[in-house]
Amino acid sequence: MMTKRMNVSLLAGAVLGVFCIIGALVRSGFQIEYYLLFSLWYNRLLMGLVIGLPWPRIGMPKLLVRGAVLGLIVSFAFYSATGFTDVVSFLAGLVYGVIIEYLAYRSERA
């Protein structure tokens, strides 16, 4: 069942994935393989899926930590696939996890 939390998380993951693609293109001087760009976008979409799951409700500080940890865990898949070279995308996963979790939290309260 698609909840509002899941919908918001997936949409946020997809949109943030586009920002990741733009960042990766700029950082690489527009010399990056398309499969890597797709993998990066898909990684962010999966981050939205994981964060959008029906997690127990917790307070804001713990919620943001949960988003950061889940963001790092999901981002580690792409980071390891790049041979541990794309540190920026890995760390962006921490920030994006917090953003997605916050948006998901707000969607539940609306």
Side-chain angles (χ1 to χ4, degrees), residues 21 34-45 78 81:
I21 287 173
Y34 290 114
Y35 72 89
L36 286 173
L37 295 176
F38 175 76
S39 296
L40 188 56
W41 176 82
Y42 191 70
N43 183 268
R44 301 316 185 206
L45 185 68
F78 182 79

Side-chain angles (χ1 to χ4, degrees), residues 35-82:
Y35 72 89
L36 286 173
L37 295 176
F38 175 76
S39 296
L40 188 56
W41 176 82
Y42 191 70
N43 183 268
R44 301 316 185 206
L45 185 68
L46 287 176
M47 186 182 301
L49 176 71
V50 169
I51 292 172
L53 293 172
W55 296 97
R57 294 176 195 256
I58 54 177
M60 182 61 73
K62 289 182 181 179
L63 179 118
L64 297 179
V65 169
R66 178 175 67 196
V69 169
L70 291 173
L72 283 176
I73 290 170
V74 173
S75 292
F76 188 77
F78 182 79
Y79 180 55
S80 63
T82 65

Side-chain angles (χ1 to χ4, degrees):
M1 182 168 102
M2 293 294 286
T3 64
K4 189 171 184 181
R5 175 182 174 84
M6 181 62 77
N7 288 334
V8 167
S9 296
L10 285 172
L11 180 62
V15 170
L16 291 171
V18 172
F19 285 112
C20 272
I21 287 173
I22 293 167
L25 281 169
V26 170
R27 285 192 328 268
S28 71
F30 297 88
Q31 300 294 319
I32 190 170
E33 299 292 333
Y34 290 114
Y35 72 89
L36 286 173
L37 295 176
F38 175 76
S39 296
L40 188 56
W41 176 82
Y42 191 70
N43 183 268
R44 301 316 185 206
L45 185 68
L46 287 176
M47 186 182 301
L49 176 71
V50 169
I51 292 172
L53 293 172
W55 296 97
R57 294 176 195 256
I58 54 177
M60 182 61 73
K62 289 182 181 179
L63 179 118
L64 297 179
V65 169
R66 178 175 67 196
V69 169
L70 291 173
L72 283 176
I73 290 170
V74 173
S75 292
F76 188 77
F78 182 79
Y79 180 55
S80 63
T82 65
F84 304 100
T85 58
D86 195 355
V87 176
V88 173
S89 292
F90 177 59
L91 296 177
L94 181 144
V95 176
Y96 288 174
V98 170
I99 292 170
I100 295 169
E101 184 69 77
Y102 178 75
L103 293 173
Y105 170 79
R106 292 285 306 220
S107 73
E108 291 179 314
R109 298 193 56 141

